[in-house]
Amino acid sequence: LISINVQKFLATGLLQKHMHYMIKSKFYKRGIAYPEAMPEIIYLEDEAEAADLVTELLEAIGLTPRHEFCARRLYDSIMQRSTPCHNYLLDEENISPTNPDRISGSELALKILEMDPDARIVIGTGHKVSDLPLSAQEAIMTGKMGYLQKPFGMDQLAEMYN
């Protein structure tokens, strides 16, 4: 997913510091106050190594990530939240023993959009848009959801949540 050099850079924390500086600079140039509390993002990823890297990337672009391995558990926790989260990054394929219904990321995204039409949802997957269910394709084409083809880079991820 990410080169060895980038992984080493992530491990040192230098990348995170650099990205925070770049993000603060963008806020400053636009005359906008830099938020003290970073927005929360909930993401779905069933592969542990990929999840660790995505956590680092999300933190580096200034978000507070909360990870879940299972689409079913994520849906249940969203339903129980008293304050909604408005940012989501969802992997399409979710193979987990705790997801017996095999709920996909796009199915979950559509359920979230029913509850919160203003949610910022990105499907991050190795699948092509044409491989997704038609309702998810339509939501992507109309701008209700974003789409990132894996492997994606930090710049692409940051652009989705600007």
Side-chain angles (χ1 to χ4, degrees):
L1 183 67
I2 297 177
S3 73
I4 299 297
N5 290 336
V6 173
Q7 289 180 23
K8 288 177 183 176
F9 199 39
L10 284 170
T12 64
L14 293 174
L15 183 60
Q16 187 172 1
K17 289 176 186 171
H18 176 71
M19 285 305 296
H20 280 294
Y21 171 77
M22 289 177 56
I23 291 167
K24 282 184 177 183
S25 296
K26 281 186 178 183
F27 275 85
Y28 178 75
K29 288 176 185 174
R30 294 179 183 164
I32 302 169
Y34 185 69
E36 291 302 318
M38 295 292 96
E40 179 184 27
I41 183 168
I42 298 174
Y43 74 98
L44 175 66
E45 175 57 65
D46 61 345
E47 296 178 25
E49 285 184 24
D52 291 341
L53 291 173
V54 171
T55 295
E56 292 285 339
L57 289 173
L58 292 169
E59 288 174 345
I61 64 169
L63 296 169
T64 303
R66 193 180 123 239
H67 172 243
E68 181 56 68
F69 283 100
C70 172
R72 166 55 64 193
R73 282 199 311 235
L74 178 53
Y75 177 73
D76 292 343
S77 73
I78 290 169
M79 295 303 293
Q80 295 173 3
R81 286 178 68 105
S82 57
T83 56
C85 177
H86 297 291
N87 298 303
Y88 299 89
L89 175 61
L90 306 174
D91 187 17
E92 174 62 9
E93 197 167 311
N94 187 241
I95 302 170
S96 170
T98 56
N99 186 22
D101 303 335
R102 303 278 305 221
I103 297 172
S104 69
S106 59
E107 288 175 284
L108 181 58
L110 294 168
K111 290 179 181 187
I112 292 169
L113 283 172
E114 286 176 11
M115 296 180 290
D116 182 4
D118 296 325
R120 294 177 87 181
I121 302 173
V122 175
I123 301 296
T125 182
H127 296 281
K128 296 177 183 177
V129 172
S130 59
D131 294 337
L132 301 175
L134 289 176
S135 52
Q137 291 179 40
E138 183 180 317
I140 291 167
M141 297 305 187
T142 59
K144 293 179 184 174
M145 281 193 304
Y147 169 80
L148 280 175
Q149 175 84 38
K150 285 183 180 177
F152 49 80
M154 188 177 324
D155 291 340
Q156 294 168 300
L157 184 60
E159 188 64 33
M160 298 305 284
Y161 294 98
N162 272 344

